Amino acid sequence: HGLISDDNVNFYGTTIVGSKQGPGVLFHYNLHSNSLTTFPEFNVGGTDAPLSSNGQGILYGCTSRTLYSFDVNTKAFTTLYE
Protein backbone atom coordinates (compact mmCIF):
# COMPACT_ATOMS: atom_id res chain seq x y z
CA HIS A 1 0.00 0.00 0.00
CA GLY A 2 2.95 2.29 -0.28
CA LEU A 3 4.92 4.55 1.97
CA ILE A 4 4.18 7.92 3.50
CA SER A 5 6.88 10.59 3.80
CA ASP A 6 7.08 13.39 6.31
CA ASP A 7 9.77 15.36 4.46
CA ASN A 8 10.88 13.34 1.40
CA VAL A 9 13.77 11.91 3.46
CA ASN A 10 11.92 9.92 6.13
CA PHE A 11 9.45 7.29 5.00
CA TYR A 12 7.00 5.30 7.13
CA GLY A 13 4.96 2.21 6.42
CA THR A 14 3.50 -0.97 7.88
CA THR A 15 3.99 -4.64 7.13
CA ILE A 16 1.57 -7.54 7.24
CA VAL A 17 4.09 -9.74 9.07
CA GLY A 18 7.55 -9.11 10.42
CA SER A 19 7.83 -9.06 14.18
CA LYS A 20 9.14 -11.94 16.26
CA GLN A 21 5.55 -12.51 17.44
CA GLY A 22 4.32 -12.68 13.83
CA PRO A 23 2.09 -9.60 13.44
CA GLY A 24 3.05 -6.64 11.34
CA VAL A 25 5.14 -3.69 12.41
CA LEU A 26 5.39 0.02 11.83
CA PHE A 27 8.71 0.95 10.22
CA HIS A 28 10.79 4.03 9.39
CA TYR A 29 13.29 4.33 6.55
CA ASN A 30 15.72 7.25 6.22
CA LEU A 31 16.72 7.84 2.61
CA HIS A 32 19.90 9.80 3.42
CA SER A 33 21.39 7.36 5.93
CA ASN A 34 19.91 4.27 4.25
CA SER A 35 18.73 3.07 7.67
CA LEU A 36 15.65 1.06 8.57
CA THR A 37 14.04 1.11 12.02
CA THR A 38 11.11 -1.07 13.02
CA PHE A 39 8.79 -0.51 15.94
CA PRO A 40 7.59 -4.08 16.69
CA GLU A 41 6.58 -3.15 20.22
CA PHE A 42 3.64 -1.31 18.69
CA ASN A 43 2.33 -4.51 17.06
CA VAL A 44 0.13 -2.99 14.38
CA GLY A 45 -1.62 -6.30 14.00
CA GLY A 46 -0.66 -7.33 10.51
CA THR A 47 -2.37 -4.50 8.72
CA ASP A 48 -1.95 -3.77 5.06
CA ALA A 49 -3.94 -0.53 5.35
CA PRO A 50 -2.09 2.63 4.31
CA LEU A 51 -1.01 5.27 6.81
CA SER A 52 -2.36 8.83 6.78
CA SER A 53 -0.69 11.99 8.05
CA ASN A 54 -2.03 15.20 9.54
CA GLY A 55 0.95 17.08 8.07
CA GLN A 56 2.25 17.93 11.54
CA GLY A 57 4.15 14.77 12.39
CA ILE A 58 1.26 12.54 13.44
CA LEU A 59 0.58 9.39 11.43
CA TYR A 60 -2.72 7.49 11.63
CA GLY A 61 -3.34 3.85 10.87
CA CYS A 62 -5.77 1.04 11.52
CA THR A 63 -5.88 -2.68 11.93
CA SER A 64 -8.91 -4.94 11.83
CA ARG A 65 -9.70 -3.93 15.44
CA THR A 66 -7.67 -0.81 16.32
CA LEU A 67 -7.32 2.80 15.23
CA TYR A 68 -3.95 4.23 16.29
CA SER A 69 -1.67 7.25 15.93
CA PHE A 70 2.12 7.53 15.90
CA ASP A 71 4.04 10.73 16.60
CA VAL A 72 7.14 10.73 14.37
CA ASN A 73 8.93 13.22 16.64
CA THR A 74 8.41 11.58 20.04
CA LYS A 75 7.86 8.02 18.72
CA ALA A 76 4.74 7.86 20.90
CA PHE A 77 2.19 5.24 19.84
CA THR A 78 -1.40 5.85 20.94
CA THR A 79 -4.39 3.52 20.63
CA LEU A 80 -7.30 5.76 19.67
CA TYR A 81 -10.04 3.16 19.42
CA GLU A 82 -10.33 -0.60 20.02
Side-chain angles (χ1 to χ4, degrees), residues 3-80:
L3 300 172
I4 191 166
S5 173
D6 64 347
D7 58 8
N8 293 322
V9 174
N10 294 293
F11 294 86
Y12 296 85
T14 58
T15 65
I16 296 174
V17 295
S19 72
K20 292 179 183 177
Q21 296 82 15
V25 297
L26 177 68
F27 67 87
H28 164 251
Y29 176 75
N30 183 290
L31 188 62
H32 287 170
S33 65
N34 193 32
S35 62
L36 179 69
T37 305
T38 60
F39 303 97
E41 65 271 20
F42 299 141
N43 184 3
V44 296
T47 182
D48 64 350
L51 293 170
S52 295
S53 172
N54 71 354
Q56 298 177 359
I58 306 294
L59 304 179
Y60 296 92
C62 64
T63 69
S64 60
R65 298 179 295 179
T66 305
L67 176 63
Y68 63 89
S69 67
F70 178 75
D71 186 316
V72 300
N73 299 307
T74 66
K75 309 301 185 238
F77 180 84
T78 304
T79 298
L80 302 172

